Amino acid sequence: MGFIHLLGILVLPYCGVMQFLSTGLIMTVSLLLLAELQWDMQSSSDYNQLTPQQKQFNQAQSQRRQMSR
């Protein structure tokens, strides 16, 4: 993700009057990547600090994510 932003910073001065459009496109691509990729890879259903109800809820959400793939 940082690479996209650094590349955008380097290219932005060459965009001329299209700087706002270029900035919007970089932000859009970044947000789409964050929305579509599973970036939180650690399972939160087995934390010791969670109550049994919270663990059960997290397990149900994890199963829902697995079914939607």
Side-chain angles (χ1 to χ4, degrees):
M1 192 63 59
F3 177 73
I4 294 171
H5 288 110
L6 289 176
L7 184 65
I9 290 169
L10 294 174
V11 173
L12 197 58
Y14 302 105
C15 294
V17 295
M18 299 292 226
Q19 286 183 353
F20 289 111
L21 178 64
S22 302
T23 302
L25 288 173
I26 292 168
M27 290 172 58
T28 301
V29 168
S30 298
L31 290 173
L32 284 173
L33 284 173
L34 285 173
E36 292 298 322
L37 299 177
Q38 185 175 357
W39 52 276
D40 185 12
M41 300 301 290
Q42 186 176 11
S43 176
S44 61
S45 61
D46 57 354
Y47 287 153
N48 292 332
Q49 293 91 358
L50 296 178
T51 65
Q53 293 84 8
Q54 290 171 326
K55 288 181 182 180
Q56 183 180 10
F57 176 79
N58 286 347
Q59 288 172 349
Q61 292 298 319
S62 178
Q63 289 176 351
R64 282 179 144 179
R65 282 193 300 271
Q66 296 296 327
M67 290 174 50
S68 66
R69 288 186 186 176

